[in-house]
Amino acid sequence: MATRFSPKIALVGSGMIGGTVGLLSGLSSLSNNIVFLDVVEGMPAGKALDLAQATTCQDIQCTSTGCSDLSENSEGLKDADIVIVTAGFPRKPGMSRDDLLSKNAEVISNVGRAIGKQCPKAFVICITNPLDVMVSLLQKVSGLPTNRVVGMAGLLDSSRFRYFLAEALKVSVKDVHTMVLGGHGDAMVPVLSATSVNGIPLFTIIEMGMITQKQVDDIVERTRQGGGEIVALLKMGSAFVAPAVCALSMVQAYLRNERRIIPCCAYIDGKYGLKATYGGVPCIIGSNGVEEVLDLKLAGQEKEMFIKSMKDVEDLRANCRKLGFEA
C-alpha cells in the first residue's frame, strides 16, 4: 500500500526519542517533510541540520526543519499529518513514571492546545509519561477525536516481553507473539493466555519443559520494570531506540492503512467494562487512526490484574484533576 503523498511529521520534543524517530522516518521514506519542535533553544534546529547532512550519505529523501515555537501559533505544527509527542521531563534513576505527573501535565496541556489549533486533523501519538494520563489529557485539551489520539506503550511493553521470552527459549523473536495490556506502569498485564511461539500456546511450551512457570513469572516482572532497568543502566537517560521504532510502526500502520492489530493506549468506552477512559488495549490501526478496539475476553487472574491496572490509571487521572488539569 502506498504512503500518503508527502505527509508532514511533527516531532514535539527533540530529545533522543524525537531525534531517532526523525532519522528512522527519513530512512524508511515515510515522510519527506520532518519538523523538530522543542522549547530548548537551538536543539530542534540542531537535530534538523544533523539529519539534513545525513541525507548526503544515505538514501534519505526528506527535508528537515527545526522550530522552537510551541505556542498556539506554532508554524512548525501547522497542518501536520502526524504528531509524535515526547515533550516533557524524562525519568531519572529511582523515579517512577507517576512521579512525572505534575511536571508533565503542564507541558502536555500547552502542547495539546497548540495541536488543537494548528493541526486538528492530525494523527497524534503520545509517548510522554505517565503515559495513560498524558494521552487522556492531550486528547481533552486538543479537542481532537479520540480515534486520532493514542499512546505508544503497549507495543513497546509487548516488544520487551517478546524479546525476554525469545531469549529464554533460545528461539527467534519473530516466532514469539504476545501482548501487554493495561496501564503503562508497574501493574501492566502481560497476557499469557494470548502468548504463543509460532502458534504453540505458551502454556503448552511450559508443559513441554522448554521453560518453567518460574522463569515466565520472572520475565513478566522484568517486563514490568523494563523501562526502569534501562534508566538504571544509562543513569543519564531513558530508553529511546525501542520507543522510536515502536512509534514508527504505528505511524506506518496509519499512513499505509495496514489495519494492524497493535496494543496501544487508546480510548475505551463500553468495552472491558470501562467507560470514557484511556488504557492499553489491542486496537486495529489504519487510515482512520484507531479503527476498532478489540474486546479481548480476559478471565481469571488476568482479568483481575487488568482491572487493578486500570484502577491505578483512574487513580492517577484523579490526582491529575486535583492538580487542575482535565485528564
Side-chain angles (χ1 to χ4, degrees), residues 158 161-162 165 175-181 189-203 261 263 272 282 296-299 302:
S158 300
F161 191 36
R162 287 178 63 192
L165 281 173
D175 288 335
V176 180
H177 301 281
T178 188
M179 63 179 68
V180 177
L181 307 182
V189 186
V191 184
L192 302 189
S193 63
T195 302
S196 64
V197 181
N198 200 17
I200 306 171
L202 178 61
F203 296 128
I261 297 176
Y272 296 91
L296 192 64
K297 300 305 178 185
L298 302 174
E302 288 178 343

Side-chain angles (χ1 to χ4, degrees), residues 222-263:
R222 188 181 181 190
T223 300
R224 289 174 173 153
Q225 304 300 325
E229 180 179 356
I230 292 178
V231 168
L233 289 168
L234 294 177
K235 296 181 177 62
M236 295 297 290
S238 55
F240 60 95
V241 175
V245 171
C246 290
L248 203 70
S249 293
M250 295 173 68
V251 170
Q252 181 173 303
Y254 171 70
L255 289 176
R256 295 179 176 172
N257 192 27
E258 292 178 338
R259 291 184 56 81
R260 284 191 60 196
I261 297 176
I262 295 176

